[in-house]
């Protein structure tokens, strides 16, 4: 623009100290300002990078923590589900021995263990092996193996009535099987006392954490109550059976005395009417095509027979036999 004379040239001296000095000072100030601005930006950038790195590290830690908690929650959920399934199966059993046999099998299978065993006190208060699954029978015969109460972790769990594992106790395990890297002793706590313990062994070093042990303790308590209920049921059934047997014997004796006091053998009704038949040997096992023998049963005891005869050319039909049984049942009720 100056060359084309579009803008006229200013009238300036070729060299001016004031202009040169002012320009130099201005450039120096601008340079320092730019340098300081860049420095501040670099400091802020470094701070931002450090904060970002810190946040990335925290995010990684939180992610790892969440993953760990998720795994722990999943393991706990699986353990609770397995425990509930085992409880449902055990509740359907009646005898204590069936419960003992099933609990070791189910726990070993559902919790993926090497061995599961139940120790119970006998009449002499010795802790004996009552049931096992995965047990080393060559090293520890089930029939003769007795566990000392004051030596290892099983005795500690029974004395303290609290579950212990190799993680939270330095007590050893006398009955440790080959390949066992972790173990737990769970007391079987009944209504009033500890009846025994559940001994679990695994090849994994951290198989019995606090969460799993607490779930196993709940399962062991439920199992102890089921065993007590089964034993009470067995005793009640035995008492009822003894009572029924005694009552049946009393009833049989009473009917025997009554029949002997009446001095008759039987009553016969035919076309001639009702007559008394003298006592004579009677064989209820003898079979005749024309006769139908129905036992007269009073409270589980046979006190006599109803013997019906037809003419020789006629056989008994099913409906007639059923009618005889109905009449015999009415007779039993009336006589009783």
């Amino acid at each position: 623009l100056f060359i084309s004379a579009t803008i006229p040239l200013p009238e300036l001296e070729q060299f001016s100290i004031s202009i040169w000095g002012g320009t130099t000072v201005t450039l120096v100030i601008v340079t320092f300002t730019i340098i300081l601005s860049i420095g501040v930006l670099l400091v802020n950038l470094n701070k931002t990078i450090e904060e970002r790195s810190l946040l990335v590290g925290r995010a990684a830690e939180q992610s790892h923590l969440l993953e760990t908690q998720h795994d722990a929650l999943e393991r706990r959920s699986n353990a609770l589900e397995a425990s509930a399934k085992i409880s449902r199966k055990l509740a359907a059993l009646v005898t204590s021995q069936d419960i003992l046999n099933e609990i070791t099998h189910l726990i070993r299978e559902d919790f993926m263990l090497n061995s599961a065993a139940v120790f119970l006190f006998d009449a002499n208060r010795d802790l004996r092996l009552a049931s096992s699954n995965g047990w080393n029978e060559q090293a520890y015969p089930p029939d003769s193996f007795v566990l000392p109460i004051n030596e290892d972790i099983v005795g500690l769990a029974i004395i303290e009535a609290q579950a212990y594992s190799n993680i939270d106790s330095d007590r050893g395990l006398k009955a440790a099987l080959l390949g066992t890297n972790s173990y737990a002793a769970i007391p079987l706590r009944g209504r009033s006392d500890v009846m025994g313990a559940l001994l679990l062994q695994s090849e994994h070093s951290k198989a019995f954490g606090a969460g799993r042990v607490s779930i196993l303790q709940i399962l062991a308590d439920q199992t102890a109550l089921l065993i007590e209920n089964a034993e009470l049921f067995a005793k009640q059934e035995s008492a009822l059976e003894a009572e029924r047997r005694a009552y049946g014997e009393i009833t049989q004796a009473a009917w025997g005395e009554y029949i002997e006091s009446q001095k008759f053998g039987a009553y016969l009704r035919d076309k001639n009417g009702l007559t008394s038949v003298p006592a004579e040997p009677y064989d209820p096992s003898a079979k005749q095509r024309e006769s139908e023998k129905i036992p007269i049963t009073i409270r589980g005891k046979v006190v006599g027979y109803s013997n019906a005869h037809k003419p020789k050319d006629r056989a008994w039909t099913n409906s007639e036999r059923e009618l005889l049984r109905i009449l015999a049942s009415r007779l039993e009720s009336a006589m009783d």
Side-chain angles (χ1 to χ4, degrees):
L1 293 176
F2 286 129
I3 295 173
S4 64
T6 304
I7 298 176
L9 290 173
E11 295 180 359
L12 298 175
E13 297 178 1
Q14 293 295 324
F15 179 77
S16 173
I17 295 297
S18 60
I19 294 176
W20 184 87
T23 303
T24 302
V25 172
T26 302
L27 291 176
V28 171
I29 293 174
V30 171
T31 302
F32 276 105
T33 302
I34 294 173
I35 292 173
L36 291 176
S37 300
I38 293 174
V40 172
L41 290 174
L42 289 176
V43 171
N44 291 332
L45 181 61
N46 289 332
K47 185 178 179 181
T48 303
I49 293 174
E50 291 177 358
E51 291 178 353
R52 181 183 178 279
S53 299
L54 183 61
L55 290 175
V56 170
R58 289 181 179 177
E61 292 177 0
Q62 292 293 332
S63 177
H64 178 70
L65 180 60
L66 287 175
E67 185 177 355
T68 303
Q69 291 178 349
H70 177 269
D71 294 340
L73 183 61
E74 185 176 2
R75 288 194 299 269
R76 185 176 181 84
S77 177
N78 293 336
L80 285 171
E81 184 179 356
S83 176
K85 183 175 70 173
I86 293 173
S87 297
R88 287 194 300 269
K89 291 183 178 179
L90 293 180
L93 302 177
V94 177
T95 65
S96 58
Q97 191 58 48
D98 289 341
I99 295 174
L100 291 172
N101 293 336
E102 196 69 13
I103 183 66
T104 53
H105 169 72
L106 293 175
I107 285 184
R108 185 192 179 198
E109 179 180 348
D110 292 343
F111 285 87
M112 295 179 290
L113 304 176
N114 288 1
S115 172
V118 175
F119 291 86
L120 298 178
F121 287 111
D122 60 9
N124 300 322
R125 297 297 293 177
D126 291 330
L127 199 60
R128 292 186 177 274
L129 182 64
S131 173
S132 63
N133 192 278
W135 188 258
N136 188 352
E137 297 183 358
Q138 296 180 352
Y140 308 111
D143 297 335
S144 61
F145 186 74
V146 179
L147 202 62
I149 193 65
N150 295 321
E151 292 186 6
D152 64 356
I153 194 172
V154 180
L156 176 64
I158 292 177
I159 293 174
E160 299 292 336
Q162 181 179 348
Y164 286 97
S165 67
N166 61 301
I167 297 177
D168 50 22
S169 175
D170 55 356
R171 284 283 189 97
L173 179 62
K174 181 179 178 181
L177 303 177
L178 185 64
T180 295
N181 293 319
S182 62
Y183 49 84
I186 317 294
L188 294 170
R189 301 181 298 198
R191 291 181 176 86
S192 59
D193 196 7
V194 178
M195 65 174 62
L198 182 64
L199 176 59
L200 308 175
Q201 303 184 48
S202 174
E203 63 182 4
H204 301 289
S205 58
K206 296 181 180 180
F208 301 104
R212 174 174 274 200
V213 169
S214 64
I215 294 173
L216 289 171
Q217 181 63 75
I218 296 174
L219 179 60
D221 293 342
Q222 293 175 349
T223 303
L225 293 177
L226 290 175
I227 293 174
E228 287 185 342
N229 292 338
E231 292 177 350
L232 289 175
F233 180 76
K235 290 179 181 179
Q236 184 178 7
E237 286 293 313
S238 178
L240 289 175
E241 179 62 27
E243 183 179 355
R244 285 193 295 265
R245 187 166 53 251
Y247 189 83
E249 293 174 356
I250 294 174
T251 303
Q252 183 84 350
W255 273 101
E257 293 176 359
Y258 170 75
I259 293 174
E260 290 179 0
S261 67
Q262 297 302 310
K263 304 299 182 182
F264 63 80
Y267 284 107
L268 173 65
R269 179 177 290 278
D270 55 12
K271 63 182 179 179
N272 298 322
L274 182 66
T275 57
S276 176
V277 179
E280 61 182 14
Y282 177 74
D283 184 11
S285 62
K287 295 183 178 180
Q288 297 177 355
R289 184 173 179 271
E290 299 82 8
S291 67
E292 187 71 19
K293 301 178 177 66
I294 306 297
I296 302 172
T297 305
I298 306 295
R299 298 184 183 272
K301 297 293 182 179
V302 177
V303 300
Y305 285 86
S306 175
N307 196 351
H309 289 264
K310 274 193 172 187
K312 293 184 178 180
D313 58 346
R314 294 182 59 188
W316 290 93
T317 64
N318 292 331
S319 60
E320 291 172 338
R321 291 192 180 94
E322 184 63 25
L323 179 60
L324 285 178
R325 294 188 182 92
I326 294 174
L327 293 174
S329 65
R330 301 291 176 84
L331 176 63
E332 293 168 355
S333 300
M335 292 174 65
D336 190 29

